Amino acid sequence: MSSTELPETRTAAAPSTSRPARAVRVADGEELRSVSLPGLTLTVRARPGVEPGLPPALYVHGLGGSSQNWSTLMPLLADVVDGEAVDLPGFGDSPPPDDGNYSVTGHARAVIRYLDSRGREPVHLFGNSLGGAVATRVAAARPDLVRTLTLVSPALPELRAQRTAWPTVLLAVPGVASAFAKLTKDWTPEQRVRGVLSLCYGDPGRVTDEGLRYAVEEMERRLELPYFWDAMARSSRGIVDAYTLGGQHGLWRQAERVLAPTLLVYGGRDQLVSYRMARKAAAAFRGSRLLTLPEAGHVAMMEYPETVAQAARDLIADHGGS
């Protein structure tokens, strides 16, 4: 499952007729590059370690997110890892995959292909929500690529989804995404962002005015992408499909096969992944550590970055830090 081709890289700011004019935000200390693989182009946001030789880390975002979701956490770990956050195909600044595969397995293959192409040592792998399901599949399929695993509200199958998660499930139904796009065509980017924040944060009031402004600018950029709703719908369908898989391909079965030391982070106010799943996850991932944050929502690494960073730092220190 490995590949030997070396990716070509270029700066994401380079002119391209296939991308909108709006620039993707790059925080101080970050570097953005585009990695070309056969049939796949991925944008990678790098936060180099503070000194050479630190072990690599890779961060994988959730549904509708991007590598920017990790911009708060990455600098807090820059003294222990050399960090990179990937935009999954069709999200952030990564274009859709040539094969149109937005399944959890398709996203996992994209991550695996990227890691294989870099030819580096195993990474400290982080995943949130959809990215948590993707990271779980990567760690189970390719244990040689993963040194430790940190999952923040991973999207693992639940028997009874919370009502607040139903809109995400409905996006998977053919035609619903396009109908929703038409229904909400008059919504402003700020209205959309505030809706997302109320769903993903335990306390939306923790978002600063500057953070809100950046989020609105990013929403404006994404709404200009012709594939925005298609990527959302197909990836939502991919999550639903993954939830229905049984046997060795089921996500819970794969969680049991993960060999990497694992940190699980769950928020008590998470409206998308139920807090009650924390105990089941802790039992599935052998020898895992569990961090529960009663006031956090779905994106604890953005709401409580210092707390998540300390837990991740402890895991890394105990299992293959520099």
Side-chain angles (χ1 to χ4, degrees):
M1 196 180 289
S2 65
S3 64
T4 57
E5 68 270 18
L6 293 176
E8 298 176 359
T9 62
R10 61 179 174 81
T11 60
S16 172
T17 57
S18 63
R19 294 189 178 185
R22 290 181 187 272
V24 176
R25 179 175 176 268
V26 183
D28 290 342
E30 293 181 345
E31 302 168 359
L32 211 61
R33 69 174 182 274
S34 185
V35 178
S36 297
L37 299 166
L40 186 68
T41 299
L42 297 174
T43 296
V44 177
R45 181 180 303 267
R47 167 70 69 166
V50 297
E51 61 184 43
L54 292 178
L58 186 70
Y59 302 81
V60 187
H61 64 81
L63 179 68
S66 76
S67 57
Q68 293 187 56
N69 292 160
W70 301 101
S71 288
T72 304
L73 183 69
M74 285 199 292
L76 299 179
L77 293 173
D79 61 325
V80 292
V81 295
D82 186 22
E84 293 182 330
V86 64
D87 283 334
L88 290 172
F91 292 95
D93 203 37
S94 291
D98 286 1
D99 62 4
N101 187 346
Y102 287 101
S103 67
V104 171
T105 297
H107 286 312
R109 285 175 180 161
V111 171
I112 287 171
R113 290 180 62 193
Y114 173 68
L115 291 174
D116 275 334
S117 75
R118 303 309 290 170
R120 299 183 65 184
E121 60 189 294
V123 300
H124 295 286
L125 185 61
F126 291 71
N128 168 236
S129 192
L130 165 63
V134 169
T136 297
R137 189 147 286 177
V138 171
R142 292 292 303 276
D144 59 303
L145 295 177
V146 182
R147 184 177 296 193
T148 67
L149 183 64
T150 297
L151 304 177
V152 181
S153 296
L156 301 174
E158 299 182 38
L159 289 177
R160 298 189 312 276
Q162 301 178 96
R163 288 188 177 184
T164 44
W166 288 359
T168 302
V169 176
L170 287 174
L171 272 179
V173 178
V176 169
S178 58
F180 183 75
K182 292 175 183 176
L183 252 149
T184 62
K185 62 182 176 62
D186 294 329
W187 290 12
T188 67
E190 181 171 341
Q191 286 174 316
R192 294 178 189 274
V193 166
R194 290 190 181 277
V196 171
L197 293 179
S198 67
L199 187 63
C200 291
Y201 274 69
D203 177 11
R206 295 180 66 87
V207 180
T208 65
D209 291 342
E210 182 181 53
L212 177 63
R213 185 175 73 254
Y214 289 148
V216 171
E217 290 173 356
E218 175 63 9
M219 179 62 74
E220 290 173 343
R221 187 190 70 82
R222 291 192 195 184
L223 289 172
E224 294 177 352
L225 299 173
Y227 52 82
F228 173 79
W229 287 110
D230 186 58
M232 286 288 292
R234 289 175 181 264
S235 291
S236 297
R237 199 169 306 144
I239 295 174
V240 173
D241 289 345
Y243 275 28
T244 62
L245 283 177
Q248 64 177 343
H249 299 295
L251 283 168
W252 284 115
R253 181 69 62 85
Q254 292 191 321
E256 293 169 355
R257 296 209 305 267
V258 170
L259 301 177
T262 301
L263 168 66
L264 301 163
V265 183
Y266 281 82
R269 294 185 176 181
D270 195 330
Q271 299 182 66
L272 295 171
V273 170
S274 177
Y275 188 64
R276 67 175 182 267
M277 301 305 293
R279 184 170 296 181
K280 180 174 181 178
F285 290 89
R286 66 185 76 183
S288 60
R289 307 178 182 192
L290 177 61
L291 171 63
T292 57
L293 300 172
E295 303 302 314
H298 192 58
V299 287
M301 74 285 188
M302 299 172 73
E303 287 189 90
Y304 297 92
E306 292 85 2
T307 306
V308 174
Q310 186 57 57
R313 180 186 299 275
D314 292 342
L315 181 74
I316 292 167
D318 291 342
H319 300 281
S322 58

